[in-house]
Every structure is written in C-alpha cells, then in structure tokens.
Amino acid sequence: AYTAPSRAQQLLNGLGFAPGDDQRPVSDFSGGWRIRLNLAQALMCPSDLLLLDEPTNHLDLDATLWLEDWLKRYPGTLIIISHDRDFLDNIVDRIVCIERQKLDNYSGNYSAYERQRAEKLAQQQVSYEKQQARIAHVESYIRRFRAQATKARQAQSRIKELERMEKIAPAHIDSPFTFSFQCHDKMSVPLVHISRAAIGYQTNGSDSKVILNNVELAIRAETRVGLLGPNGAGKSSLVKTLAGSLPLLAGDRTNGEHFKLGYFAQHQLEALDINASAALHIQRLSPQAREQEIRDFLGSFDFHGDRAFEPITHFSGGEKARLALAIIAWEKPNVLLLDEPTNHLDLEMRHALTMALQEFEGAVIVVSHDRHLLRNTVNEFLLVADGKVEEFDGDLEDYYQWMQQQKVKAAAAEKSTQEKTAATLADSDKVDK
C-alpha cells in the first residue's frame, strides 16, 4: 500500500495530467479528462482480467504510446475493443470478429486478421473485381507520393505502408463508406501565410500569455503535414489560430484570395443541431440542392433512406462525427484542418477517411493519435514543443524515441532540483546550529 501514491502519480503522468492535477477536485476537469481518470482507475486496480472499451478515445498520441507500453507489460488477460489499428497490432495476438450474429476467431494481430479475411473475400468474383480497382487506386497514389515526397526516410515508410494496404484492401470491400473530399476549384499561392507570429491567449485586461513564439508557416496546396508535440505544448493553440478562432498576439497572417477552410474539431459535434436531420444540415448550406443529390451524398457516409431525414437527437458519437465530416466534404474546401478526426469512428470509417484524404487535392493539416492515418496521409511533421514550431526530421518511430529522451531529461532535471533543494536545506540547518 505504501507504493500506491507513487503508482497513482505515474498513471496520471502517463495519461497526460499536469503536475498538481492530482490534488484538484474531479469537478474541475472536462468530460474527456474524466474519461482519462476512469482509465487510470482501471489500470490502478490489481486484476487478472482487464476489459477496455475504446481506451484511446480522448487520448493524444503521447498518452496513446504510453498506454501501449503499459499494456504490453500487463501480465493478465486483456480483452479490448479499439478502432486504432496500430494500437491493436502492437498489443493483441488474437482477433474476435463479430458479424452476422457470429463470433469468428482469427489468430494474430489486426493486420493478420485483415489478410485472412481478405483471402476469404477474394475467392468471390465480385470481390476480386473490386480488389483490382482498389489495387489500381493504391498504386496510383504511390506514384503520386513518390513524385512529391521530400524526405527519403518518410517516403520509404509511407510506400511500405501503402504496399501493405494493397495486400489487405479486399478486407474492406464491403465497407459502407465510399466518400471523397472534393477540392475547391480555385487555389491561392500560398493559401495561408503566418509570419513572425506570437500565438497564445489574452488574459486579464491587456495582459497576454504567449505559448508559441516566432512562428513561420506557409500552407500551400501540396502541404500535407502532421502536428506532433507533448500534451500542453501548444498544438491546440496552433490549430485554433489556423482555424481563425484564436487571433495572433503579434505577427502577421495572410489568407489567400481563394482560401476555403474545412475544419473538424471535437466541439463541432456539440454544435450540431440535434433537432435537425442530417439532410437538413446539408440543405441549410445549399438550399437549391436537389433532395436526391443530398440522399446520394449522405448515402456515401452510410446515412441511407429515412435515416438521413431523422433528427440526429439519438445519433451516436460516431454518427455525429460522420455527419460533421460530411458537412466539411459538402462545402468543398481547399484546406482540411483535422483535430483528432478519428475519435468515435470505427475501423471501416477510418479506412474510408484515410483513402479520401489520400485523394484530396488540397492541403491537409492533421492532429491525431491514429498512427496509421498519419502515416498514410501526411508527408512531413511539425514539432510543437518548447514554445516553438519546427520541422521534425523523422517519422513516428523517431518521434517516439524523441519522447523517451525528453522523459529522461525531465527526470534528470527533477532529480537535480531535488538534490539542490536538499543541499540548500542542509546548509540552512548548519547555519541554524
């Protein structure tokens, strides 16, 4: 029992809670942070069997990687529901697929399940024909990526991933999602330019808190960037600045004449009109659109028949997220700014989103804990840390190593501070004596 406080603190630190948060009342925290606290409670409890239902929802990439390492060391039996394929690949050794009122067992991780299921589906002629079409699409994307890649290491990582996707594509043939993001027909060069910017918040009166300083960023049509950085380093502030909801404290921002933003954030699900239908949300954007056109469009997001015309009051989180993405797709942006777009989305929808982003001809900026999505939709990373926004020279594996190094440095700094404090107290005692 005497180790309980330190073990609890380690869990809270790993899940992204800040120093001092352990003393704050739970009522101070948002719903997302309370979910993290529930997860910490489950991990704290000694157990032989651990049941986790979507544990990575509401986690950022850093916390997801930490949780993955923790679960690898868990000695008991783990049963998990997750829509994060990399997370599953690195943790589980058996998949139970529930479909058509049956439980089918597959040995291996999620990638092995995809391959085995693909082999079953490929035996059917209709599946085979769709598989060939998907392979042609993936090969086309690889050629496009090779022509645009600026980093050899990232290029090789992405191409290997896409080649693996080519093999497993038939596993998703029966997916109900087949949507795309149509790009605005006009472009500006650049679409957005931020120069010498100070990013942060106004506090009391004329005071301000600068989180990121001297930010230089140009968004062009070919920009496909993922944002990396520790929790609290300023990723959300940068996203809000790009979205236009957070004004610059200093510096300049220039939007191109034809700049048109498609922005996905978690709070947008709350902004949906729960008394309106999915179709009405689209009709409000385009009153002249024909009903059949709206039906066909929403059908690609798996809102079929009367479902498209029902009030969304009883929609699940995943259905609301799909509707939010549908609204963005309908407006044909040339810049997609996506902040954790895969929360609440199942594996088939995540796969469809990945394919849609690959085909999108505009700029893409993504914050996500879904490593598979990042690997297959961006070709460079920006690191948001230590008050700066800098190009990160590496891939997600390099970022994981960078995080480990930061933890070692932080631990060493804390130990040094404690030693200095102890030495100061000892000197003070000597003077008193």
Side-chain angles (χ1 to χ4, degrees), residues 138 141-142 144-146 148-166 222 224-226 354 357-359 371-381 395-397:
V138 176
Y141 180 74
I142 291 175
R144 173 188 167 198
F145 177 76
R146 278 184 169 142
Q148 293 185 0
T150 56
K151 297 179 183 298
R153 292 182 65 191
Q154 290 183 8
Q156 290 304 314
S157 174
R158 290 278 306 286
I159 290 168
K160 287 179 181 177
E161 185 73 12
L162 287 169
E163 287 172 346
R164 190 187 68 79
M165 282 182 64
E166 175 181 320
E222 63 271 17
R224 307 185 74 84
V225 63
T354 301
L357 290 176
Q358 288 176 359
E359 293 177 341
R371 286 158 285 175
H372 182 265
L373 180 79
L374 289 173
R375 285 195 188 97
N376 287 280
T377 56
V378 307
N379 54 28
E380 62 179 319
F381 294 104
D395 54 22
L396 291 172
E397 284 69 28

Side-chain angles (χ1 to χ4, degrees), residues 20-273:
D21 279 354
D22 58 316
Q23 300 301 317
R24 293 169 56 194
V26 174
S27 59
D28 283 0
F29 295 99
S30 67
W33 285 99
R34 293 186 194 186
I35 290 174
R36 292 194 191 204
L37 181 57
N38 286 338
L39 177 58
Q41 285 184 294
L43 301 183
M44 184 73 177
C45 179
S47 63
D48 301 310
L49 172 63
L50 184 59
L51 306 176
L52 298 179
D53 188 356
E54 293 293 352
T56 62
N57 273 5
H58 302 286
L59 298 187
D60 56 15
L61 180 58
D62 295 22
T64 299
L65 291 169
W66 175 87
L67 178 61
E68 187 176 291
D69 279 345
W70 194 97
L71 292 175
K72 285 178 181 177
R73 299 191 302 271
Y74 177 67
T77 298
L78 172 65
I79 298 178
I80 184 170
I81 299 171
S82 178
H83 295 140
D84 185 331
R85 56 184 300 153
D86 274 37
F87 188 71
L88 289 174
D89 268 352
N90 294 330
I91 292 174
V92 307
D93 55 18
R94 185 153 61 100
I95 296 288
V96 177
C97 177
I98 305 173
E99 57 182 350
R100 293 185 295 275
Q101 299 181 319
K102 292 173 57 182
L103 275 66
D104 293 326
N105 276 282
Y106 294 84
S107 60
N109 58 17
Y110 182 78
S111 292
Y113 151 75
E114 276 188 321
R115 288 192 296 272
Q116 294 171 58
R117 187 165 187 264
E119 289 169 2
K120 290 183 179 179
L121 294 176
Q123 295 171 1
Q124 304 168 18
Q125 182 63 27
V126 63
S127 297
Y128 176 78
E129 293 171 357
K130 291 182 179 180
Q131 177 191 22
Q132 297 309 302
R134 180 58 60 84
I135 288 174
H137 163 76
V138 176
E139 288 176 342
S140 173
Y141 180 74
I142 291 175
R143 288 193 294 271
R144 173 188 167 198
F145 177 76
R146 278 184 169 142
Q148 293 185 0
T150 56
K151 297 179 183 298
R153 292 182 65 191
Q154 290 183 8
Q156 290 304 314
S157 174
R158 290 278 306 286
I159 290 168
K160 287 179 181 177
E161 185 73 12
L162 287 169
E163 287 172 346
R164 190 187 68 79
M165 282 182 64
E166 175 181 320
K167 296 173 185 175
I168 58 86
H172 300 277
I173 282 171
D174 54 357
S175 171
F177 313 110
T178 55
F179 69 94
S180 63
F181 290 106
Q182 298 299 315
C183 186
H184 190 53
D185 56 1
K186 294 182 179 180
M187 289 282 186
S188 302
V189 183
L191 291 160
V192 184
H193 186 249
I194 295 175
S195 177
R196 304 181 303 280
I199 293 175
Y201 297 86
Q202 293 289 345
T203 53
N204 295 326
S206 59
D207 295 335
S208 60
K209 179 181 179 182
V210 176
I211 297 174
L212 301 171
N213 215 342
N214 199 29
V215 176
E216 299 281 341
L217 188 59
I219 305 298
R220 298 178 173 83
E222 63 271 17
T223 298
R224 307 185 74 84
V225 63
L227 300 182
L228 304 175
N231 183 53
K235 295 191 300 295
S236 293
S237 300
L238 178 57
V239 167
K240 291 175 182 176
T241 299
L242 290 170
S245 59
L246 186 64
L248 297 179
L249 298 177
D252 300 306
R253 175 192 174 127
T254 304
N255 289 346
E257 179 184 0
H258 303 298
F259 168 68
K260 190 171 183 181
L261 178 69
Y263 176 39
F264 180 94
Q266 291 304 304
H267 67 79
Q268 285 178 285
L269 305 191
E270 301 167 7
L272 294 171
D273 182 355

Side-chain angles (χ1 to χ4, degrees), residues 309-348:
F309 291 87
E310 295 174 0
I312 68 169
T313 307
H314 302 297
F315 274 23
S316 66
E319 288 172 319
K320 289 177 181 177
R322 278 192 272 130
L323 176 56
L325 287 170
I327 291 170
I328 293 171
W330 179 267
E331 296 192 281
K332 298 182 180 179
N334 50 27
V335 177
L336 285 175
L337 179 59
L338 307 177
D339 188 359
E340 293 294 355
T342 60
N343 279 359
H344 305 295
L345 300 184
D346 63 20
L347 278 159
E348 294 297 344

